[in-house]
Amino acid sequence: MTEAGQSNNSTVAKPRLVICIGDIHGYITKLQNLWSNLETQFDPQHFNAATIIFLGDYCDRGLDTKKVLDFLIDLPSRYPNQKHVFLSGNHDFAFAAFVGVLPEPQNGVPFKEGWKEYEESEDREGWYKGDGYENMHLQGRRWAGHIKERFNTIKGTEYKGSIYDAGPTFASYGVPHGSSDLLKAVPDDHKKFLADMVWVHEEDDVCIEDEEGIRHCKLIAAHAGLEEGKNVGEQLRFLKAKETHVPKIQALSGRKTVWDIPKELSEKPIIVVSGHHGKLHIDGLRLIIDEGGGFENKPVAAIALPSMKLVRDTDNLTK
């Protein structure tokens, strides 16, 4: 029976549709195809009222960051009954840092104080030293820098301008990599989008379907995850406050330290969903949805709850 048939014949309200979309990384065609497949997969009434959580990393690597942001910014007007959540990824955070839309550190310490912890990497990573660098967050300088190495041995790919592969993002706005002209080239609505991104999102009463049946859970979404060994409440307060005095935000850019659900949450019905890791990993209530990893030849994936159904841009779906 189709979704539409089920909704017409059932007197029980269907669980809300929640869709989490993995890292896009400047690939507009993948995003368009994925969105089309999602529309095809779910009946219009259900899809048009869905909560859509984008897990971050909209920019870099792919050629069309500008078009990706245009697409995302237009969604609320095209689908006014949907709820859209735009998480910041580490790449988006660095983009925001470069164009000057991060909030100032609440402790009053200038951004340059955060450079010291990583200054041994400045020469190798070729940190940005152009206009406005003097009070720029570390990640903005790294993002617009010129890395000396040509080849990323971990990914097996060539660097695209900087350690963040930000060259294609600059090009999508019509300016050379590392140019301060990007500040003028990025439209105001794009800057507002970057400024408004959230670092963490909590969603109550999200249903998930597994061997135990339908379970009602809380969902926490963060681009990379939550740190093990640190109080979760304190982490959430820090992320909601957007404390920018820290040079590297683990919930946006961590790896091993944020891979698992913190033990503090592991006995509770709490889904922790992320992108970032370049993998598709589903382990109980820990969902990592980044099958593409920014690679041109890999798909962008989404997961739909409660069904746990995976949808990819490469799926050949027909109505």
Side-chain angles (χ1 to χ4, degrees):
M1 184 180 291
T2 66
E3 269 202 358
Q6 287 176 337
S7 60
N8 288 337
N9 294 328
S10 175
T11 58
V12 179
K14 292 186 66 174
R16 177 170 49 121
L17 177 62
V18 177
I19 299 172
C20 301
I21 296 178
D23 301 27
I24 299 162
H25 277 301
Y27 289 104
I28 185 60
T29 301
K30 293 184 184 184
L31 174 57
Q32 291 168 333
N33 289 343
L34 175 63
W35 193 263
S36 178
N37 283 342
L38 290 168
E39 283 193 296
T40 300
Q41 187 65 45
F42 303 102
D43 75 86
Q45 184 178 9
H46 207 195
F47 181 73
N48 289 335
T51 295
I52 315 288
I53 302 173
F54 290 88
L55 299 172
D57 277 1
Y58 314 112
C59 63
D60 302 341
R61 299 186 179 145
L63 298 178
D64 293 308
T65 289
K66 184 177 186 293
K67 291 180 180 179
V68 166
L69 263 59
D70 283 335
F71 183 99
L72 298 176
I73 289 166
D74 285 346
L75 283 178
S77 60
R78 291 173 56 200
Y79 300 85
N81 294 322
Q82 288 182 344
K83 177 180 179 180
H84 304 101
V85 177
F86 301 107
L87 287 175
S88 175
N90 55 316
H91 287 255
D92 315 308
F93 177 95
F95 184 4
F98 184 76
V99 298
V101 297
L102 289 183
E104 291 289 329
Q106 295 181 24
N107 64 0
V109 176
F111 284 134
K112 64 183 179 181
E113 289 299 312
W115 304 348
K116 297 175 182 178
E117 185 176 347
Y118 297 93
E119 60 188 5
E120 72 279 0
S121 301
E122 179 174 2
D123 182 64
R124 181 182 72 85
E125 294 178 357
W127 295 356
Y128 174 79
K129 291 184 178 179
D131 292 347
Y133 90 94
E134 294 88 352
N135 191 32
M136 184 178 289
H137 192 283
L138 169 66
Q139 301 307 329
R141 295 193 64 198
R142 297 177 75 223
W143 184 76
H146 287 81
I147 190 165
K148 289 186 174 180
E149 299 167 16
R150 301 301 303 165
F151 197 75
N152 184 333
T153 56
I154 296 175
K155 288 187 172 292
T157 59
E158 287 192 2
Y159 284 110
K160 298 177 180 179
S162 70
I163 196 167
Y164 274 98
D165 296 324
T169 297
F170 280 82
S172 76
Y173 289 95
V175 300
H177 174 68
S179 171
S180 61
D181 290 342
L182 186 68
L183 277 72
K184 296 179 181 178
V186 175
D188 287 345
D189 60 342
H190 287 209
K191 290 177 180 175
K192 184 178 188 305
F193 177 88
L194 294 169
D196 290 346
M197 293 180 302
V198 297
W199 294 7
V200 69
H201 178 71
E202 296 179 272
E203 195 76 37
D204 292 326
D205 197 24
V206 174
C207 292
I208 192 167
E209 188 174 359
D210 56 20
E211 63 278 359
E212 300 178 23
I214 294 283
R215 284 195 283 168
H216 292 262
C217 302
K218 180 176 181 175
L219 180 146
I220 301 175
H223 178 64
L226 297 175
E227 291 182 79
E228 181 60 76
K230 290 191 176 181
N231 179 274
V232 170
E234 291 180 4
Q235 290 187 64
L236 294 175
R237 284 191 291 274
F238 169 87
L239 295 169
K240 289 175 183 178
K242 295 186 176 181
E243 293 279 5
T244 57
H245 67 276
V246 178
K248 185 175 182 181
I249 314 296
Q250 288 298 316
L252 274 59
S253 59
R255 296 292 181 185
K256 293 180 180 179
T257 59
V258 296
W259 178 263
D260 294 317
I261 293 179
K263 288 187 176 66
E264 181 183 341
L265 302 180
S266 61
E267 299 302 318
K268 302 175 182 178
I270 297 179
I271 303 161
V272 179
V273 61
S274 304
H276 180 62
H277 294 276
K279 298 179 185 298
L280 182 64
H281 174 79
I282 299 173
D283 181 13
L285 298 181
R286 180 62 171 129
L287 312 179
I288 297 175
I289 312 299
D290 181 23
E291 193 167 14
F295 287 91
E296 186 175 1
N297 62 345
K298 292 185 178 181
V300 173
I303 191 166
L305 306 176
S307 67
M308 298 284 283
K309 182 171 185 61
L310 290 164
V311 180
R312 299 173 175 86
D313 72 285
T314 52
D315 294 341
N316 185 15
L317 301 178
T318 56
K319 291 187 183 264

